[in-house]
Amino acid sequence: MNEIGTLYIVATPIGNLEDITLRALRILKEVDYILCEDTRTTQILLNKYGIKNKTMSYHAHSTDGKESAIINLLKGGKNLALVSDAGTPCISDPGVMLVSNVRKEFGNDAKVSPVPGPSALISALSASGISSAEFTFFGFIPHKKGRVKLFKEIVESDKVSVFYESTHRIMKTLESLDSYSPKCIVMIAREITKQFEEFVQGTPSELLKYFKDNIVKQKGEFVVIVSLL
Ligand code: SAM
C-alpha cells in the first residue's frame, strides 16, 4: 500500500510578491499538484518564481466529488499544496472543509502540514502598536443576520477585536461603530505590503471624516482593529 501523501497548507503573499518563504517555494515546486482558490491568481506567483507545476482549482464552491478526488490523490501517495489567492489558506479562506475531511478520512495518520507565512490578520496586528496578548478575531462581519449582535459584542468586549473588511463596506462599518461606540479607538490597516499601504487610527467619526475627505482611500483591502482604550 502507498504511503499517504501530505497536504501542505501554504501561505502566499498578501500583496508584495516577495513575501514568500523559501520553504513555500520549494514545496510549490516539489508537490504533485497545487490546489488553488483561483489558478490564474496563483499562476502569477508561480511565474514570478519560474515554478512550472500542475495546478487544480479548489474553492468555496468545490463539490464533494472534488474533495473525494483530492482524498484519493492523497491515498495514492501524491503530495499536494493548498493555496488561497492571498495569505494563509483556511483563515477566512477556502480549505477548512478539505482539511477537516482529510483529518476525518485518515485520523491521526493524516499528514496535513502548515507552511507558515503571511496573514493579513497577524501583519496588521504586528504593526499596529496595539497589545495583542489577547484578541478576538471575527473574520468577516456578516452583512445582515447577526451583524448588530456582533457589533454589540465588539464594543462591549474588553479585548481587542479584529476583523476583515472590504472596500464596499468600510464606510458602513465605521458608521456602525460610530453609532454603537463613538469613543472606541479604531485602527485601519489598509493595503498591507502594497504600494499604498497605510495605518490610520482614530475614533469612528474621525476615520469617517478621513475617508470622506480622501475618497480614493476607501478602496482596497482592510483589516479593522477595535480597542476601547
Ligand atoms: N486568508 C487571508 C489571510 O490570511 O490574510 C485572508 C483572506 S480574506 C478572503 C481577504 C481579506 O483579508 C480582505 O478582504 C481584507 O480584509 C484582508 N486582507 C487581505 N490582504 C490584505 C492586505 N494586503 N491589506 C489589508 N487587508 C488585507
Side-chain angles (χ1 to χ4, degrees), residues 14-15 37 84 86-93 118-121 140 163-166 189-194 221-223:
I14 57 169
E37 181 179 4
S84 59
T88 301
C90 306
I91 308 298
S92 299
D93 257 345
S119 172
L121 160 70
F140 285 101
F163 56 91
Y164 289 154
E165 197 47 279
S166 69
R190 172 176 169 265
E191 295 287 272
I192 304 167
T193 77
K194 300 187 199 176
E221 297 193 282
F222 304 85
V223 180

Side-chain angles (χ1 to χ4, degrees), residues 13-123:
I14 57 169
N16 188 324
L17 291 186
E18 290 177 1
D19 292 332
I20 183 139
T21 69
L22 296 174
R23 181 167 169 244
L25 291 175
R26 180 176 58 75
I27 300 277
L28 291 176
K29 216 176 283 174
E30 289 178 358
V31 289
D32 294 292
Y33 293 95
I34 305 170
L35 309 176
C36 310
E37 181 179 4
D38 183 333
T39 52
R40 290 161 304 179
T41 306
T42 302
Q43 199 56 54
I44 296 169
L45 180 70
L46 299 179
N47 288 347
K48 178 170 170 69
Y49 290 100
I51 297 173
K52 294 191 170 56
N53 203 347
K54 296 184 279 302
T55 57
M56 272 170 61
S57 73
Y58 175 82
H59 45 70
H61 307 294
S62 288
T63 57
D64 291 350
K66 187 67 165 265
E67 289 201 353
S68 308
I70 293 170
I71 287 175
N72 281 336
L73 286 171
L74 293 171
K75 279 186 184 160
K78 301 288 186 207
N79 294 319
L80 311 174
L82 173 70
V83 296
S84 59
D85 283 351
T88 301
C90 306
I91 308 298
S92 299
D93 257 345
V96 188
M97 284 314 293
L98 176 63
V99 172
S100 164
N101 286 334
V102 167
R103 292 204 174 280
K104 261 187 220 143
E105 178 74 30
F106 300 110
N108 286 337
D109 292 330
K111 292 196 218 157
V112 182
S113 182
V115 182
S119 172
L121 160 70
I122 301 301
S123 305

